[in-house]
Amino acid sequence: RVELDFFLGAAHRTLSHCCTLPSDTCCNEAMRRILLLAALAAADDHIHASHADIELARDFRVDKHHKIIVSNIGDEDLAFYYLGNEGNQGMEHPEPTWDMSETLCAVLGPDEEAGRFVRFRDSFVVRSADMKWRVRFHIIPSRFIEQPYGITFSNPMLESNSVIELKHHDDAPVVPFGPGGQSSRAIPHGHRLELRDDSGRPRVAVEVHLPDEDE
């Protein structure tokens, strides 16, 4: 509201200032100044958005106080692995830096969960005990300030026709993606994403938290 009043006030002053000029010149000059003010306001918003993105990315890369929670919402044991960081030089970096290693984070029974501090481009995989159901995901920066975390889920089950279903929230339709496919979502901290198998059975849920704000 304050910014709108300021903008309209500036436009009014612009019109008043040029009212002594010939009518055509006055209108053209007024429009030029109004457009200039609008461009400056938009540029200012973009700068603030960029600063917020940079600050969030710096937090991820240095402080590492962002945390994921992985929950077993099914009825079978799951193994939760950290695959490494696929390059933390930014979204446009051409070469991943994952060294092909794996670290077991937890074995989760039904209704159990595990947490881990993360950075952008950290990559994980969740596998069923018989290895037949698997999903891979990694954390990426989002362009949306209110939804700063991006999660990309991948279906690595190329040996079968198994489809993974992603549930974004209660009112959203289920998003299926088949072998070799991906599905990405931008989310705010604390938002829960649920994954199901191709029979609709719940398997695993993933959340990203900022503990300083959630606790």
Side-chain angles (χ1 to χ4, degrees):
R1 178 61 182 172
V2 173
E3 293 178 356
L4 181 60
D5 289 342
F6 176 80
F7 178 75
L8 292 176
H12 175 74
R13 289 193 298 274
T14 298
L15 290 170
S16 299
H17 175 72
C18 69
C19 66
T20 58
L21 299 173
S23 59
D24 290 345
T25 304
C26 178
C27 291
N28 291 338
E29 179 66 14
M31 184 58 66
R32 186 186 70 82
R33 295 192 182 193
I34 290 171
L35 292 175
L36 178 61
L37 287 169
L40 290 173
D44 185 61
D45 287 344
H46 177 72
I47 289 170
H48 285 297
S50 299
H51 286 172
D53 291 341
I54 291 170
E55 183 178 357
L56 179 67
R58 185 182 299 117
D59 286 346
F60 249 70
R61 290 169 181 151
V62 178
D63 296 333
K64 292 187 65 176
H65 63 279
H66 301 256
K67 188 177 184 179
I68 60 167
I69 304 292
V70 175
S71 305
N72 184 345
I73 58 175
D75 54 11
E76 298 180 9
D77 289 352
L78 296 174
F80 168 40
Y81 292 87
Y82 172 60
L83 300 182
N85 188 280
E86 296 185 7
N88 206 29
Q89 295 88 351
M91 295 183 69
E92 305 303 324
H93 194 267
E95 297 295 334
T97 57
W98 180 37
D99 63 2
M100 308 299 287
S101 65
E102 293 187 0
T103 302
L104 178 64
C105 300
V107 175
L108 302 173
D111 299 322
E112 292 182 343
E113 64 182 29
R116 183 183 174 95
F117 289 100
V118 292
R119 297 180 299 164
F120 283 140
R121 295 192 175 276
D122 276 354
S123 184
F124 303 89
V125 67
V126 175
R127 301 187 178 104
S128 62
D130 62 7
M131 305 290 286
K132 292 182 178 179
W133 191 87
R134 307 181 301 279
V135 64
R136 181 174 171 171
F137 65 93
H138 60 276
I139 314 297
I140 57 176
S142 163
R143 294 182 175 86
F144 306 105
I145 295 175
E146 297 299 322
Q147 298 174 309
Y149 310 111
I151 301 185
T152 295
F153 295 98
S154 303
N155 182 343
M157 297 180 285
L158 300 180
E159 75 285 351
S160 69
N161 294 320
S162 296
V163 172
I164 297 175
E165 297 180 348
L166 172 62
K167 186 68 173 177
H168 185 35
H169 55 77
D170 290 341
D171 298 327
V174 170
V175 178
F177 52 105
Q182 293 184 334
S183 183
S184 300
R185 288 294 179 273
I187 58 172
H189 68 86
H191 186 80
R192 183 182 179 97
L193 296 172
E194 295 186 357
L195 297 166
R196 305 171 180 176
D197 61 24
D198 50 11
S199 65
R201 291 189 305 162
R203 286 286 192 162
V204 66
V206 179
E207 307 165 29
V208 184
H209 288 264
L210 183 59
D212 292 345
E213 296 188 19
D214 293 339
E215 297 176 352

